[in-house]
Amino acid sequence: MGDSALLIRLVGLVTIEHDGTAPQHLSSAQAQVAFARLILERTSGTSRDQLADTVWPEGLPDTWASALRSVVSRVRAYVTGPLQKPGGTPLIAQSGRYVLRLPDDAAVDLEAAEAAMTEARTAFADGAHAVAHQLAAGAVSNLRGSFLPAHEGEWVNAVRERVDELRLMSLELASLSSSALGAEHHAVRYADEAVRRAPFRESAHRCRMTAHAAAGNRADALRAYQQLREVLADELGIDPAAETQAAYLELLRA
C-alpha cells in the first residue's frame, strides 16, 4: 500500500491521501457512507435504490430522490480532482447505476489489508516469518479505526464485520509470527488485543497460549487456557474446542 500514489482510507477517518499531501477529509456523514459503498462496489456499480437504502437504512425520506442527488453531488465534488482521470468526472451514472472510477495507482485501505493478509498467510506457511510479520503488522496498523462508527444498516454492518474479522486475523498472525521470530513481548501484546476484542474467540486465546509458551512462561500459558475455559463455561456453557484442548495437553506434556 505504501507504493501507491493515492490512498483511500475507509477505516477510521474517511480520507483521500494523494502524493504525500495532507489527507482530504470527507466531513458529511451521509456522503461518507455513500462514498464507501461506491468505492467498494466500483467494479459493478451501485444502483440508486441501493445507495439510498445505505444512506437512510431506517427508511427513506419523502424527498429521497432529490436528497440522494445532493449526497451524490457532495461525493462527486469530493472525488473530482484527486480521483479524476483524463476525460471526465470519476463518478458517473451508467445504466441506472453509479460507477466510481479510480486511477490505476489508487489503493483502498481495506482491500490492501485483505491482499496483505493473503500474502502473509502464505509467507507464514512457507516459514518466511519475518515477511509474514511485516505484512500482518502493517494490516493491524491500517485497521486501527472503526468502519463508519456513526452509521448502522445492513450494508454497513456487513462491511464492519468484514473489517473486524480481518483485524482479528491480522492480530493473530502478527502474534504467531512474532512468537516464531522470538519477539515474545510483541506476540503477547498482539494476542492480548485479539482476546480483548473477541473474548470468546478460541484462536485468539490459542495465540496467547503460544506467545507465553514461546517466552518460556509455561505457567502463564496454562493460565491463559484456564481463563478461556472459565469464560466459555460461565458465558456460553461450553467447553473449549478439541484443537484448543489439544494445545493445552501439549503444554502439560512440555
Side-chain angles (χ1 to χ4, degrees), residues 14 26 37 55 57 65 74 86 109 112 124 126 129 150 156-157 159 179 188-189 201 216-217 229 233 241 245 248 253:
V14 177
L26 182 57
R37 182 154 191 174
V55 174
R74 291 193 192 99
D109 58 354
F124 188 82
D126 291 342
H129 298 136
V156 169
N157 291 338
V159 177
S179 292
V188 171
R189 179 169 57 84
R201 186 181 176 97
N217 299 323
R229 188 176 65 81
Q245 293 186 42
Y248 171 66
R253 289 192 290 266

Side-chain angles (χ1 to χ4, degrees), residues 17-216:
E17 300 174 16
H18 188 238
D19 286 335
T21 60
Q24 296 177 249
H25 176 55
L26 182 57
S27 57
S28 166
Q30 292 178 339
Q32 285 179 4
V33 69
F35 174 67
R37 182 154 191 174
L38 290 166
I39 285 290
L40 294 178
E41 296 183 349
R42 62 190 181 277
T43 300
S44 59
T46 307
S47 73
R48 187 179 70 157
D49 290 347
Q50 289 173 326
L51 201 58
D53 287 339
T54 303
V55 174
W56 297 286
E58 296 182 357
L60 302 182
D62 292 338
T63 58
W64 71 269
S66 60
L68 183 63
R69 285 194 294 271
S70 178
V71 171
V72 171
S73 293
R74 291 193 192 99
V75 175
R76 183 175 285 114
Y78 177 64
V79 301
T80 299
L83 303 187
Q84 193 160 5
K85 288 185 173 183
T89 175
L91 178 56
I92 62 172
Q94 178 177 290
S95 302
R97 307 180 78 81
Y98 289 110
V99 179
L100 184 55
R101 300 175 296 185
L102 296 184
D104 295 337
D105 62 353
V108 179
D109 58 354
L110 173 55
E111 296 170 349
E114 288 174 328
M117 280 303 297
T118 297
E119 188 177 348
R121 284 191 291 268
T122 299
F124 188 82
D126 291 342
H129 298 136
V131 173
H133 179 267
Q134 181 180 15
L135 291 165
V140 170
S141 178
N142 282 306
L143 297 172
R144 279 298 179 195
S146 299
F147 179 74
L148 299 177
H151 293 274
E152 297 297 334
E154 183 177 351
W155 183 83
V156 169
N157 291 338
V159 177
R160 189 174 294 144
E161 290 176 5
R162 173 180 165 189
V163 171
D164 290 345
E165 176 63 20
L166 181 62
R167 183 188 294 113
L168 288 168
M169 290 192 299
S170 302
L171 286 166
E172 290 173 350
L173 190 53
S175 177
L176 291 172
S177 56
S178 293
S179 292
L181 292 168
E184 293 88 359
H185 173 74
H186 294 295
V188 171
R189 179 169 57 84
Y190 284 124
D192 283 348
E193 182 177 347
V195 169
R196 186 168 60 252
R197 289 180 176 275
F200 304 136
R201 186 181 176 97
E202 292 194 41
S203 55
H205 286 270
R206 288 196 297 271
C207 286
R208 178 187 266 178
M209 293 163 62
T210 298
H212 284 303

